[in-house]
Amino acid sequence: MHLKDMTGLQLMQAFAQGKLPGPAITTTMPMDCVEAEHGRVLFTATANESHTNAMGGVHGGFAATILDSVTGCATHTVLGPGETYATTDLSIKMCRPLPFNKAVFSEGKVINAGRNLVISEGYIRDEAGKVYAHATATCMIIRPAAAA
């Protein structure tokens, strides 16, 4: 089966099962999709010293990228074959500094899937459930052009 023939859920499940290599961003931002179901994904992510800001902590862009990924990938799970998405809005609330070299969990869930827009939310938590950051996102559905 070609990638363009897979539903978004099939694609995300293939990533979670290790049947497809992760996208290139996972090299820069150590994150892995570990679960994917309709309307929901779960990632693990680990910030390291390469994600340091000028103050010596984990840069907020690390959390923003992880949250953009899980909200977008949750959106992807409700799309049909050949459909993609683009994030049109991402709102993030940082609750506390992210730790270095400690795996955190980021879950994305679809709140509403309409004809043209999908609204989702995401969290970054540690193994005890402590929240580090929260986001909401709106994604625009992009459908393949009709054959002429």
Side-chain angles (χ1 to χ4, degrees), residues 95-116:
C95 302
R96 58 184 42 87
L98 282 165
F100 284 110
N101 303 312
K102 179 181 177 186
V104 291
F105 302 92
S106 189
E107 181 179 32
K109 289 183 179 181
V110 170
I111 297 170
N112 185 68
R115 177 167 168 72
N116 296 309

Side-chain angles (χ1 to χ4, degrees), residues 70-82:
V70 297
T71 55
C73 288
T75 294
H76 208 154
T77 68
V78 301
L79 300 183

Side-chain angles (χ1 to χ4, degrees), residues 45-69:
T46 306
N48 59 49
E49 287 71 17
S50 71
H51 305 110
T52 304
N53 62 25
M55 297 173 290
V58 175
H59 193 282
F62 183 86
T65 300
I66 302 304
L67 289 166
D68 184 44
S69 296

